[in-house]
Amino acid sequence: MHRGIGVPIIFITGHADVDTAVDVLRKGAVDFLQKPVNEERLRSSILEACMLNINRDGRLLDRSRVLQALQDMSPRERQVTDLLCAGLSNAEIAERLGLSPRSVQGHRNKVYQKLRVHNAADFAERLSVL
């Protein structure tokens, strides 16, 4: 069962090849190390993995907190949120709502702030809990 829990992975092997390294990193591993492992490089990789995990966990909101953030939005912010979820650009939202693109950007910034996200990918991930 997928629970949406990410665990940082540092892949260590004695039998490495480029294809395996690329595949592992594309699938989300923090690092790919070959044996014998350089102690300083391993320490650095562990620190990076821990920091990534802390940062990711700090951005996560559970379902009830996302619902509360949505309830705290103004009606206009909620309209912008719905249209962002539909995949519309700022310009398309502006045209649909009769606003300037700059106004839409301001509403979008407020939405991102309330949901504690920084970009479209984080926005989509945050709302995926609903």
Side-chain angles (χ1 to χ4, degrees), residues 12-58:
I12 301 172
T13 183
H15 304 285
D17 60 58
V18 174
D19 290 338
T20 303
V22 169
D23 186 48
V24 166
L25 292 171
R26 278 190 181 152
K27 289 181 179 174
V30 174
D31 207 348
F32 184 93
L33 306 175
Q34 263 187 293
K35 292 179 184 177
V37 177
N38 174 289
E39 190 175 322
E40 187 54 40
R41 173 99 189 264
L42 178 59
R43 248 192 227 109
S44 175
S45 292
I46 292 170
L47 179 61
E48 180 183 356
C50 290
M51 293 308 295
L52 286 170
N53 202 44
I54 288 168
N55 289 337
R56 186 209 54 179
D57 288 346

Side-chain angles (χ1 to χ4, degrees), residues 74 76-77 80 99 103-112:
S74 70
R76 181 64 82 189
E77 290 166 352
V80 169
L99 301 171
S103 292
V104 171
Q105 185 60 48
H107 291 301
R108 183 181 194 144
N109 289 342
K110 287 281 197 176
V111 167
Y112 279 17

Side-chain angles (χ1 to χ4, degrees), residues 66 70 73 81 85 111 115 122-130:
V66 170
L70 291 171
M73 289 181 191
T81 299
C85 287
V111 167
L115 290 171
D122 288 346
F123 173 81
E125 181 182 336
R126 183 62 41 85
L127 293 180
S128 71
V129 302
L130 300 179

